[in-house]
Amino acid sequence: MNIRIEVDINFVRQKFIHMFKCTKCKKRDAVITQKYSKRELCGPCFIDEFENRVYKANREFKLIRRGDRVAVAISGGKDSAALLYILTKIAKYVKAEVFPVLIDEGIANYREKAKEKAIELCEKLGLKLTVKTFQELFGTNIDKANAKKSKAWRGSCSYCGVFRKYALNAAALELKCNKIAVGHNADDVAQTILMNLTRNEPQRFMRFGAISGVVERDGFATRVKPLIYVTERECATYCHLLHLPIHLGECPYSSDSYRGDVKDFLNNMENKHPGTKFNIIKSFLAMKSNAEKIEQKEKQIKSCVECKAPSGGETCKACQFKKELT
Ligand code: SF4
Ligand code: ZN
């Protein structure tokens, strides 16, 4: 009798990661399995690769440049801790300045604990933390709003998201910052792309990207996403390896079930088909770049001076050819 035992090799690799050597340096013990690249990496090689991917995003999308004043949105969580840490390195290199900003939504037992970690992180990095509260800006906060839900109640996250964007922009203006860096990682980005698609929101879809929001001008700051090429799990590993203080709790109002469903779907796909999240991001960026090129070309189309037909130059090709033949 033949007995076939199926072994999930990825599960085995993750479980016994300490028994593998790093695929890159082949010397040190591995600490993380990268399913999408079919590699196991040691701490130093992982940190190197993580930072190189953030540097790549920074170069590719021209995110943080010389002379920029960057308000860095931090929450006390892993993504923004990784973001602030690496942006201090980039800022030193490109000669920019970073200003950590924390928005306190007024959520008891959640934001206070996270704020403690954010303060600890800023002290470790020698940076002054700016805190803005919903209470001071809007005369209410998320706990209070929840306690007396109005008739037109839209759900905590809807108010929170809009108020946070506003508060961040207000803090950036006060600090005279021209950029706002947010800790959206590859997971968040892939989720948003898919959500914009499945909700049939083409305008949002095309506006989205590593640089989004309004173009830099007086009274506005440009939003940048330097973590677009690193995953949520990688941000957590990066913070863990560098001993960055982070808060791991979840907001008690977290209720965006649509995003939650998309997240579960993507995690499931990534598990079965490693690389799915990055493929979504890469396809989206390629589509966006093509669409921008087409738009540019269309803008350049003029009217032919002789026959008024659409033309790339002063005179259209048909009129040019007609002259050649007569
Ligand atoms: Fe705000 Fe919703 Fe996030 Fe909680 S889960 S911090 S309410 S956006
Ligand atoms: Zn290594």
Side-chain angles (χ1 to χ4, degrees):
M1 188 173 64
N2 268 346
I3 298 175
R4 203 163 149 249
I5 300 172
E6 296 224 355
V7 179
D8 181 345
I9 193 69
N10 287 321
F11 174 77
V12 175
R13 287 183 109 89
Q14 232 155 327
K15 188 97 183 145
F16 300 101
I17 182 77
H18 55 282
M19 293 169 71
F20 289 89
K21 284 281 176 219
C22 171
T23 326
K24 222 170 161 189
C25 69
K26 305 197 173 18
K27 282 188 288 197
R28 292 176 286 259
D29 291 342
V31 296
I32 183 169
T33 302
Q34 252 181 9
K35 274 178 138 187
Y36 60 83
S37 70
K38 296 193 179 72
R39 291 181 309 165
E40 282 77 37
L41 296 174
C42 69
C45 287
F46 168 78
I47 290 174
D48 247 25
E49 186 171 311
F50 182 97
E51 295 184 344
N52 282 335
R53 270 193 270 147
V54 181
Y55 299 153
K56 178 180 179 284
N58 193 45
R59 275 195 311 274
E60 194 174 320
F61 303 106
K62 300 182 175 67
L63 303 179
I64 312 294
R65 325 224 56 204
R66 177 185 279 259
D68 274 345
R69 290 173 64 87
V70 189
V72 185
I74 64 166
S75 63
K78 59 186 180 340
D79 302 321
S80 59
L83 175 73
L84 182 61
Y85 184 84
I86 196 159
L87 284 195
T88 54
K89 285 184 157 201
I90 292 179
K92 227 182 233 168
Y93 183 70
V94 304
K95 297 196 168 45
E97 279 181 276
V98 293
F99 302 87
V101 174
L102 181 136
I103 307 301
D104 186 342
E105 310 89 342
I107 303 171
N109 289 323
Y110 169 65
R111 187 52 69 213
E112 291 133 32
K113 285 182 188 155
K115 191 155 88 181
E116 280 169 25
K117 294 291 177 187
I119 292 169
E120 219 182 294
L121 176 67
C122 290
E123 275 169 5
K124 192 176 165 125
L125 299 175
L127 296 166
K128 185 176 176 286
L129 175 66
T130 299
V131 178
K132 287 264 164 218
T133 68
F134 279 6
Q135 186 61 47
E136 66 174 294
L137 285 167
F138 310 109
T140 186
N141 64 32
I142 296 295
D143 275 348
K144 286 183 187 167
N146 262 280
K148 54 166 190 178
K149 286 182 183 147
S150 64
K151 259 193 180 164
W153 183 248
R154 295 165 186 267
S156 310
C157 297
S158 301
Y159 298 103
C160 192
V162 169
F163 285 172
R164 190 180 318 109
K165 228 176 191 178
Y166 183 101
L168 268 176
N169 207 53
L173 280 186
E174 213 173 279
L175 293 162
K176 297 189 172 39
C177 290
N178 59 327
K179 300 252 166 83
I180 297 173
V182 292
H184 294 187
N185 56 45
D187 290 62
D188 301 320
V189 172
Q191 284 160 24
T192 306
I193 294 169
L194 217 56
M195 284 167 73
N196 288 340
L197 258 182
T198 50
R199 281 175 161 168
N200 188 20
E201 293 182 316
Q203 296 305 329
R204 274 179 189 231
F205 185 73
M206 290 322 283
R207 270 206 316 266
F208 187 69
I211 290 200
S212 58
V214 282
V215 181
E216 198 178 310
R217 61 177 200 259
D218 277 355
F220 294 102
T222 305
R223 282 165 85 86
V224 295
K225 302 184 184 97
L227 302 184
I228 187 167
Y229 289 146
V230 289
T231 66
E232 183 179 330
R233 185 167 158 260
E234 287 167 339
C235 287
T237 308
Y238 185 71
C239 291
H240 174 73
L241 291 171
L242 291 169
H243 307 290
L244 301 180
I246 53 170
H247 178 245
L248 293 171
E250 210 184 304
C251 171
Y253 301 119
S254 115
S255 64
D256 190 344
S257 60
Y258 198 86
R259 183 173 283 275
D261 290 345
V262 172
K263 185 177 184 170
D264 291 345
F265 167 74
L266 276 177
N267 283 343
N268 196 19
M269 285 294 285
E270 184 70 35
N271 218 11
K272 286 187 183 157
H273 310 283
T276 297
K277 291 173 191 172
F278 282 125
N279 285 343
I280 290 175
I281 296 173
K282 279 191 233 157
S283 298
F284 166 74
L285 292 173
M287 274 195 293
K288 190 172 161 152
S289 152
N290 281 342
E292 280 166 0
K293 276 183 204 150
I294 292 169
E295 205 183 314
Q296 276 304 323
K297 263 197 176 162
E298 278 172 358
K299 270 187 197 157
Q300 284 164 10
I301 292 180
K302 307 170 196 154
S303 286
C304 170
V305 285
E306 301 197 12
C307 71
K308 305 276 178 276
S311 165
E314 294 286 295
T315 316
C316 74
K317 275 269 185 299
C319 287
Q320 278 177 40
F321 285 2
K322 211 162 79 184
K323 263 188 208 156
E324 280 174 25
L325 298 174
T326 51

